[in-house]
Amino acid sequence: MAMAIRSLLIFLCIQSIAVPTFSLYEDQAGLMDWHQKYIGKVKHAVFQTQKTGRKRVLVSTEENVIASLDLRHGEIFWRHVLGTDDAIDGIDIAMGKYLITLSSEGSILRAWNLPDGQMWWESFLQGPSYSKSFLFVPLQFITQYLPKSPSIATSSKVDKDNTILVFGKGSLHAVSSIHGDIVWKVDFPDESFEVQEVIQHHDSNIIYVVGFVGSSQFDVYQINAKNGELLKHDSAAFDGGFSGEVSLVSKAKLVVLDAARSTLLTISFQKGEISFQKTYISDLVKGFSGMAMILPSKLTGLFAVKTITATTFISMSSVGQLEVVDKINHATVISDALSFSEDRQAFALVQHGDSDIHLNVKQNHDWSSDLLKERIKLNQQRGFVHRVFMNNYVRTDKSHGFRALIVMEDHSLLLLQQGEIVWSREDGLASIIGVTTSELPVEKEGVSVAKVEQNLFEWLKEHMLKVKGALMLASAEDLAAIQGMGLRSSEKSKMTRDHNGFRKLLIVLTKSGKLFALHTGDGRIVWSLLLNSLRQSEACENPTGINVYQWQVPHHHAMDENPSVLVVGRCKPSSDALGIFSFVDTYTGKELKSFGLDHSIAQVIQLPFTDSTEQHLHLLIDTSGQAHLYPRTPEAVAIFQLEFSNIYWYSVEADNGVIKGHGLKSNCDGEVANNYCFGAREVWSIVFPLETEKIITTITRKSNEVVHTQAKVVADQDVMYKYISKNLLFVATVSPKASGDIGSATPEESHLVVYVVDTVTGRILHRMNHHGSQGPVHAVF
């Protein structure tokens, strides 16, 4: 018996230290080490949970992506990336089996099959003018007598067609959800009519289209939902004007702010009679000053007004009386109303605490009680909650439960249910604006890789998983974790440098102002940091990142010092805004320091020089053409002065068809005791005639690119010599008529010309004309 136990223990020890191995076929080597998919910051979401089987949430994002996500794990069922100019205006579900998307400023309507994401139909909508767009999928079926092909009638097995209402391009369209045909169309006589709401009640065949003409006229159109006939048109003027968001609080009443944003206007348009009722915000909110804003939401009988100090929730009675039900001083986000029974509606309310968020689910007409009240611990590196979408489900005891999908400041996506984060997605990685690399730590003698990579608890956890796998007690999640451990323990996924220098960290900056470190071996996130310097504040109202650069790369002191990167940003999206600097340690992910600059940033040039601390010298060009040296130290200036006459850069004015070369001259004019600012001089310029050529693309070589050899042997055994100068610029121009979309010009009208320019002398080294061609052009030098 003792021998059997001893043998079992030896077997378990061997299994616990065994490392799973993985292999590739020969033809798979070098093709792709890893591939990750992201969708971006979610702006619309609808849930599909009614039927049994896979529960899903359908989303659209600011990166023009539509996707179907698994509601249990957050994985992507399917995903489509639309064009850069095909922004998504709205999404909804029709007939329980199609995802309907409206995009391109209300001009393209598509239906996608829910299970597999295949496009079922596409409809192009035309109209007389640009306008705000709306997508409205009625809940109730409306019978339409339309000619249908036998094949469609047989396959769909439906007798009624759920009609989709779309307002875009100044017109209202009724579109068949089965095959995408336009049933009817209404053009409104006044081209300046700006629609605010399209309303159709489930028990009525009348569609109400309400909106503003100019800044002070309110219009209501009544339209027959069956044939598009215009039944009635009413309008009324208000001297104070309108501004901001409109909140529909009942069937025939909406609330809007006046032009001064200090007065609430209740607009009633029942039975064609339009009336205005004014209520001063100061009468409802004590201590109100400044301007208010109505938060966009779709709550029945309730709306929210945001002021500088708080968010105030106001209810409206059946006779139009306004009453404050609550005032919240914390940052607050609310969802749209959700019908979870025949006559009950609820909405989610999210507030921020110190290190957590408070999720409350309330009924529209009963503020005193909470259907759900939860507190969820949240990583501070995610920032504030930006959006919340709510869904309900039925528990085993037949009571109603709620889940919330929230979008964070760093563009990540989280699903909350029963007080916990069910899953999360780092979808900020879909909008990377800058990337650089960082060396990994050197493996020190006497220090195991395990101590570098993980703590003792993680080490024990991994060995317990291996034991469960050896005893065949591991679940599917455990097996996936064991496989991930094998990948991490492989040579290419270690957290130390390899002999050839292939293992590195990818330091990426996203549009949200968050910095990520990704391991090149398997693409995993090593650390992430939401930069405080790129978050909204009183000093910077709308900060935006520009790029990330290597700042300090220690070679002589690699065992003692950590490398760091420089993150450059602006206080506003415009190029003339003041700049921001932030320095981050690439091993720990900590922000070392940050500060604002006293000048703008139009261009950042990383110079090929370092000081005694191995910090890279950077030259920043502002919008006035002056050059600023960083770091601001006497040593950096001394190094810079030695290479002063050899520093050149170029600028491109695509709209004017001009490329200019610049050099340096003495210190900036008018500067007092500033040895780090230098004036610029124009060295050369190339002017392209706007009548025949328009610049569409410029690209240059990477400054740190290494040319392995000066010559290459081509197929016919000839030797082709490379032009190894780093001062080359590739320029592509097209004829003005061919600068639009593909097919906008005939082959006779279009031509594309490419140039190779020396940016030091301005000399054109090469030119080639491609007749009958047009852009876009994507180039890699």
Side-chain angles (χ1 to χ4, degrees):
M1 184 67 182
M3 180 64 70
I5 294 174
R6 190 179 297 112
S7 302
L8 178 61
L9 290 174
I10 293 172
F11 173 75
L12 291 177
C13 289
I14 294 172
Q15 288 294 326
S16 66
I17 62 175
V19 178
T21 57
F22 302 89
S23 60
L24 292 173
Y25 289 105
E26 184 179 356
D27 60 350
Q28 292 177 318
L31 293 181
M32 183 184 294
D33 282 341
W34 50 269
H35 179 215
Q36 297 178 356
K37 292 181 184 179
Y38 300 99
I39 56 177
K41 186 178 182 180
V42 171
K43 61 179 182 180
H44 305 111
V46 289
F47 294 85
Q48 176 67 7
T49 59
Q50 287 78 14
K51 296 182 179 180
T52 57
R54 289 182 171 181
K55 311 294 184 183
R56 67 185 75 228
V57 56
L58 292 308
V59 298
S60 69
T61 71
E62 294 181 359
E63 281 66 41
N64 301 343
V65 174
I66 56 171
S68 173
L69 305 179
D70 182 1
L71 204 54
R72 298 182 187 276
H73 305 100
E75 298 171 349
I76 298 175
F77 283 141
W78 53 261
R79 180 190 71 153
H80 293 297
V81 183
L82 305 185
T84 54
D85 298 327
D86 197 6
I88 301 168
D89 305 312
I91 65 172
D92 209 336
I93 293 177
M95 303 180 69
K97 59 181 180 179
Y98 299 132
L99 172 68
I100 306 298
T101 62
L102 180 66
S103 60
S104 291
E105 299 175 346
S107 60
I108 302 178
L109 190 69
R110 299 182 179 98
W112 311 83
N113 195 29
L114 283 181
D116 55 15
Q118 292 188 16
M119 189 169 69
W120 195 250
W121 51 257
E122 182 178 44
S123 185
F124 295 91
L125 311 177
Q126 304 296 328
S129 62
Y130 166 78
S131 65
K132 191 176 179 180
S133 56
F134 283 95
L135 172 65
F136 181 70
V137 179
L139 297 176
Q140 195 76 359
F141 284 97
I142 302 172
T143 305
Q144 301 288 350
Y145 300 96
L146 300 171
K148 300 174 184 171
S149 63
S151 60
I152 293 178
T154 305
S155 61
S156 59
K157 296 182 180 180
V158 292
D159 338 78
K160 297 181 180 180
D161 186 12
N162 195 5
T163 305
I164 301 167
L165 299 178
V166 179
F167 181 83
K169 298 294 182 183
S171 301
L172 181 68
H173 303 77
V175 182
S176 166
S177 60
I178 291 181
H179 37 66
D181 289 346
I182 298 175
V183 181
W184 49 258
K185 173 186 173 184
V186 176
D187 294 326
F188 298 95
D190 198 324
E191 291 186 1
S192 61
F193 178 52
E194 183 180 349
V195 170
Q196 298 296 322
E197 291 286 348
V198 177
I199 308 157
Q200 184 187 9
H201 307 302
H202 67 277
D203 55 352
S204 173
N205 283 332
I206 297 178
I207 299 170
Y208 292 88
V209 181
V210 299
F212 304 133
V213 175
S215 61
S216 58
Q217 180 177 315
F218 179 76
D219 281 31
V220 181
Y221 291 87
Q222 296 183 35
I223 298 168
N224 189 325
K226 291 186 176 181
N227 53 26
E229 178 187 357
L230 181 60
L231 303 176
K232 194 176 183 182
H233 171 216
D234 299 288
S235 64
F238 178 73
D239 295 336
F242 312 105
S243 67
E245 291 285 342
V246 168
S247 181
L248 184 70
V249 291
S250 68
K251 290 183 177 181
K253 288 182 182 178
L254 55 84
V255 177
V256 67
L257 290 167
D258 68 342
R261 290 183 175 269
S262 61
T263 304
L264 287 169
L265 299 174
T266 303
I267 306 176
S268 176
F269 52 91
Q270 197 165 10
K271 298 179 180 179
E273 297 180 1
I274 301 174
S275 62
F276 302 99
Q277 179 182 338
K278 294 198 303 182
T279 305
Y280 294 105
I281 297 178
S282 56
D283 294 340
L284 297 170
V285 182
K286 293 182 179 180
F288 166 74
S289 62
M291 295 190 297
M293 180 180 71
I294 295 179
L295 294 181
S297 60
K298 298 177 181 178
L299 309 177
T300 304
L302 190 71
F303 63 97
V305 176
K306 185 178 181 179
T307 60
I308 298 175
T309 57
T311 300
T312 305
F313 289 86
I314 303 171
S315 65
M316 176 180 287
S317 64
S318 58
V319 295
Q321 187 69 28
L322 300 181
E323 181 183 355
V324 174
V325 295
D326 201 359
K327 182 180 178 181
I328 300 174
N329 296 322
H330 305 288
T332 307
V333 181
I334 56 177
S335 72
D336 288 340
L338 172 71
S339 298
F340 63 97
S341 64
E342 291 184 1
D343 56 348
R344 299 172 70 191
Q345 283 189 330
F347 68 96
L349 173 66
V350 178
Q351 304 173 60
H352 277 271
D354 295 331
S355 60
D356 52 16
I357 61 172
H358 304 270
L359 173 64
N360 292 358
V361 177
K362 294 179 175 290
Q363 294 190 71
N364 283 18
H365 299 289
D366 185 8
W367 189 270
S368 58
S369 62
D370 294 314
L371 296 173
L372 179 71
K373 191 172 184 178
E374 296 175 344
R375 177 179 292 182
I376 300 101
K377 290 288 183 183
L378 205 60
N379 185 355
Q380 294 297 306
Q381 293 302 322
R382 297 192 184 277
F384 293 116
V385 176
H386 276 196
R387 298 187 183 101
V388 57
F389 306 93
M390 192 176 63
N391 178 239
N392 71 299
Y393 60 94
V394 180
R395 299 190 181 100
T396 53
D397 60 356
K398 305 301 180 181
S399 63
H400 289 280
F402 299 92
R403 57 173 71 97
L405 186 74
I406 62 173
V407 183
M408 303 301 297
E409 183 181 349
D410 67 343
H411 298 186
S412 60
L413 189 66
L414 290 79
L415 184 72
L416 309 181
Q417 188 172 330
Q418 296 180 354
E420 294 183 355
I421 300 175
V422 180
W423 52 259
S424 63
R425 294 179 50 87
E426 293 288 356
D427 284 307
L429 287 168
S431 54
I432 294 174
I433 59 176
V435 60
T436 188
T437 59
S438 172
E439 296 288 350
L440 283 163
V442 177
E443 188 170 359
K444 300 179 183 179
E445 247 182 77
V447 178
S448 69
V449 177
K451 291 181 181 178
V452 177
E453 292 180 344
Q454 58 190 2
N455 56 36
L456 179 61
F457 175 76
E458 291 173 341
W459 184 84
L460 289 172
K461 182 180 176 182
E462 287 192 0
H463 279 268
M464 288 301 296
L465 283 173
K466 290 176 183 177
V467 172
K468 290 176 70 176
L471 297 175
M472 296 185 179
L473 300 175
S475 63
E477 289 79 6
D478 293 337
L479 291 174
I482 293 171
Q483 186 178 9
M485 288 158 40
L487 291 173
R488 286 194 298 273
S489 63
S490 65
E491 278 295 317
K492 71 175 184 178
S493 300
K494 285 184 177 180
M495 280 298 295
T496 54
R497 298 184 193 180
D498 61 313
H499 178 70
N500 295 317
F502 289 144
R503 284 199 300 265
K504 293 183 185 294
L505 290 178
L506 292 176
I507 311 298
V508 299
L509 176 66
T510 65
K511 191 189 296 182
S512 64
K514 193 169 187 178
L515 206 62
F516 290 87
L518 308 178
H519 197 289
T520 56
D522 53 8
R524 71 181 184 273
I525 298 174
V526 179
W527 55 259
S528 61
L529 173 67
L530 185 63
L531 294 167
N532 286 324
S533 54
L534 292 181
R535 299 181 69 185
Q536 189 174 3
S537 64
E538 292 182 3
C540 283
E541 297 178 359
N542 189 14
T544 178
I546 298 176
N547 210 335
V548 57
Y549 303 90
Q550 291 181 350
W551 177 253
Q552 188 175 24
V553 185
H555 295 292
H556 303 296
H557 304 89
M559 303 292 286
D560 307 313
E561 296 181 5
N562 294 353
S564 58
V565 292
L566 166 66
V567 179
V568 182
R570 298 188 182 100
C571 276
K572 294 179 181 178
S574 58
S575 60
D576 58 350
L578 296 180
I580 305 169
F581 265 18
S582 179
F583 302 90
V584 179
D585 188 313
T586 62
Y587 287 174
T588 63
K590 293 182 179 179
E591 190 172 20
L592 303 175
K593 62 177 178 179
S594 64
F595 53 86
L597 307 181
D598 57 359
H599 59 82
S600 59
I601 303 174
Q603 192 174 351
V604 180
I605 303 172
Q606 188 176 45
L607 301 175
F609 318 123
T610 57
D611 60 13
S612 60
T613 62
E614 298 183 272
Q615 291 180 343
H616 282 280
L617 272 61
H618 290 72
L619 199 63
L620 273 64
I621 314 300
D622 63 21
T623 50
S624 62
Q626 295 178 333
H628 303 264
L629 178 65
Y630 291 89
R632 292 192 168 190
T633 61
E635 182 189 3
V637 173
I639 297 171
F640 184 73
Q641 290 288 357
L642 294 175
E643 301 291 340
F644 188 85
S645 59
N646 296 324
I647 296 174
Y648 300 90
W649 71 92
Y650 69 93
S651 61
V652 180
E653 301 174 15
D655 294 336
N656 299 326
V658 179
I659 301 177
K660 296 179 181 179
H662 306 277
L664 292 169
K665 61 180 183 181
S666 58
N667 290 51
C668 296
D669 298 331
E671 292 287 336
V672 179
N674 187 352
N675 297 324
Y676 311 108
C677 180
F678 304 89
R681 58 189 174 89
E682 186 177 319
V683 179
W684 55 265
S685 65
I686 299 175
V687 180
F688 297 92
L690 296 177
E691 298 80 13
T692 57
E693 294 185 65
K694 177 179 174 59
I695 300 173
I696 59 169
T697 302
T698 58
I699 193 73
T700 187
R701 285 178 51 180
K702 294 183 179 179
S703 59
N704 59 351
E705 180 183 317
V706 178
V707 178
H708 179 65
T709 176
Q710 294 187 13
K712 179 181 180 181
V713 179
V714 292
D716 59 357
Q717 304 302 314
D718 196 4
V719 177
M720 180 178 69
Y721 290 95
K722 299 178 182 178
Y723 193 89
I724 61 173
S725 170
K726 293 187 177 183
N727 304 309
L728 296 182
L729 176 68
F730 172 87
V731 183
T733 67
V734 295
S735 56
K737 290 186 177 179
S739 60
D741 296 333
I742 296 175
S744 59
T746 63
E748 293 77 17
E749 297 173 328
S750 59
H751 63 85
L752 185 147
V753 187
V754 295
Y755 300 85
V756 177
V757 180
D758 188 317
T759 57
V760 174
T761 63
R763 178 185 172 194
I764 296 177
L765 303 175
H766 184 71
R767 179 183 184 275
M768 181 173 289
N769 195 337
H770 299 270
H771 292 286
S773 302
Q774 68 176 99
V777 172
H778 302 279
V780 176
F781 214 121

